[in-house]
Amino acid sequence: VTRWDGIGTVLHGVTGDPVPDPQARVQVWDYLKPKPAVWPEATFIVGNPPFIGNKRMREALGDGYTEAIRKAYPKVPESADFVMYWWEKAALAARGFVAAKGKGTRRFGLITTNSITMVFNRKVLEGHLHDPKNPASLIFAIPDHPWVDAGDGAAVRIGMTVAAKGRTEGRLLTVATEAKTIDANEGRDVSLDTQRGTIFANLQVGSDVSGSQKLRSNHQLGFMGVIPHGEGMVVSEERAQKISPFAHLPNSLLRPYSNGKQLISGQLNRYVIDAFPMTEAALRDAAPSVYQWLLDTVKPIRAANRDKDLREKWWLHRRSNLDLRNAQEGLSRFIATIETSKHRTFSFLPGAVLPDQKLRVIACADGWILSTLSSRFHVTWSDAAGGRLGVGNDPVYNGTRCFDPFPFPAPSDPQKAILRQLGEDLDAHRKARQAAHPKLTLTAMYNCLEKLRANERIEGRDRETYDQGLIGILRDLHDRIDAAVAQAYGWPGDLTDDQILHRLVALNR
């Protein structure tokens, strides 16, 4: 059976009905008994595979091919990017799992996006690097390097990895400086720092943060928010009052809502319609105005979705997150941070707020936990554990790697009281400054704090931010938090980042 893909190419080996529209590029095709392709024998494997994120695979490759490759490579997580299938296959060849007439593959080197350090991609590396009997080792890596496409000038961040069979140390190169060239479309001038040692799956040397295990003490405390799915699910305060005059009351179908932008701005002025766990009939009878709003704005969009559950339960969120709801029960407030953000900050949100999927939630109301999370000890850990993403190269907070394995200190009651007060003071200071200056964002405040710590000149717009945010006080609060958390661990206050990571990894064990 053949398939016409809309640009004149005939593909063989798939089943299904002929495509009636030759311009239709997205079709569902079933592959019969898919299996890995056979690569030719090679002493070295070098490649620059396609940069297609896992969420774009169906759109770019079609449902049939996406399902086929996932069935053919069952050990690669479905959340992994397309490029990681090349990494898996090359690693198997280097480790001797591919039959070869000669000596087989000695090593391989691939260019990927810098998201190779993210948890969903890192699992592919871990499976090969951590094998107790027949491991592979990274012998060269650059985790984050600028890349400019000379064709269209598009800028991305890439990672480079070279691996070979056996246990051996490698060279880790990190970008120390980078600057645009005269022709910005031709790349970047960079200088590189070199470290030698065992390179771990998170493309770091030193402490094996990526090998840390989840702790039972943190179980069922860290969550991602809900996924409403449909613009009509989230409404302004004005719209909320029109479709439900009781939106401001507890147990209303409309709950205060926060996403990353609102957390940064400090303004909670949106609501989310939350009909969980009502049936369609119950919603229609209990709140006909809300039902009609969803019928008009959400159902038409969801009706075209290929996900059966989304089509049939169009009045409910795509991800209702029952575990999060249970954890929020009875809490007057909880801690939240943005999944991908330039600065790792933690804030209290009211317990009535329903957080967006881009927020990571810690279901705890205690100020001493907020202090610990806001300290350089946790921020250093989370930056190393979570990886970085996108052109902005911002740190990513993944709950399973950044929070679940993080070993909190065991402070005495007096130490806990100090930490608790500092956490309250930090949260109150930022909220008060934003209330007084509605355009002041956490990003602007921490950009200014970063410059202050670097002894850079504070002038122009930064001076305005410094004055409005009282950044000198913000710095003092963070310094006191760092000192108090160090005392709670029983550690010196002047540890380097690498020393902090070594101690935290040891404490995790």
Side-chain angles (χ1 to χ4, degrees), residues 169-240:
E169 293 186 344
R171 287 188 301 137
L172 178 71
L173 277 64
T174 53
V175 175
T177 62
E178 60 180 274
K180 291 184 178 180
T181 57
I182 296 177
D183 184 349
N185 291 339
E186 289 300 319
R188 301 286 186 270
D189 284 330
V190 301
S191 64
L192 299 166
D193 290 336
T194 302
Q195 294 173 275
R196 292 183 180 273
T198 300
I199 303 177
F200 300 109
N202 59 354
L203 301 194
Q204 294 184 8
V205 298
S207 54
D208 187 11
V209 175
S210 64
S212 299
Q213 302 298 308
K214 295 181 181 181
L215 301 175
R216 283 186 289 174
S217 57
N218 298 350
H219 182 59
Q220 288 296 297
L221 287 176
F223 306 92
M224 68 177 291
V226 298
I227 305 178
H229 197 88
E231 290 186 7
M233 285 282 188
V234 180
V235 297
S236 66
E237 193 169 12
E238 181 182 6
R239 173 60 63 182

Side-chain angles (χ1 to χ4, degrees), residues 31 39 68 157 167 179 193 239 258 296 351 401:
Y31 286 64
W39 279 3
R157 310 292 299 190
R167 292 196 185 281
D193 290 336
R239 173 60 63 182
S258 179
D296 293 342
R401 298 308 310 159

Side-chain angles (χ1 to χ4, degrees), residues 245-316:
F246 307 105
H248 62 287
L249 297 178
N251 301 318
S252 168
L253 284 173
L254 279 85
R255 292 180 59 176
Y257 183 69
S258 179
N259 57 18
K261 184 177 180 180
Q262 289 180 289
L263 189 66
I264 286 292
S265 68
Q267 299 183 22
L268 298 177
N269 53 10
R270 303 178 79 198
Y271 285 77
V272 61
I273 298 173
D274 182 29
F276 180 85
M278 301 175 75
T279 64
E280 181 181 357
L283 174 62
R284 184 176 57 243
D285 294 342
S289 59
V290 174
Y291 178 84
Q292 178 168 293
W293 172 261
L294 294 177
L295 190 71
D296 293 342
T297 62
V298 175
K299 186 176 182 180
I301 298 172
R302 297 271 281 264
N305 199 286
R306 59 173 170 259
D307 188 314
K308 180 181 178 182
D309 210 43
L310 280 176
R311 293 196 309 270
E312 294 183 352
K313 298 179 181 178
W314 52 269
W315 66 97
L316 298 176

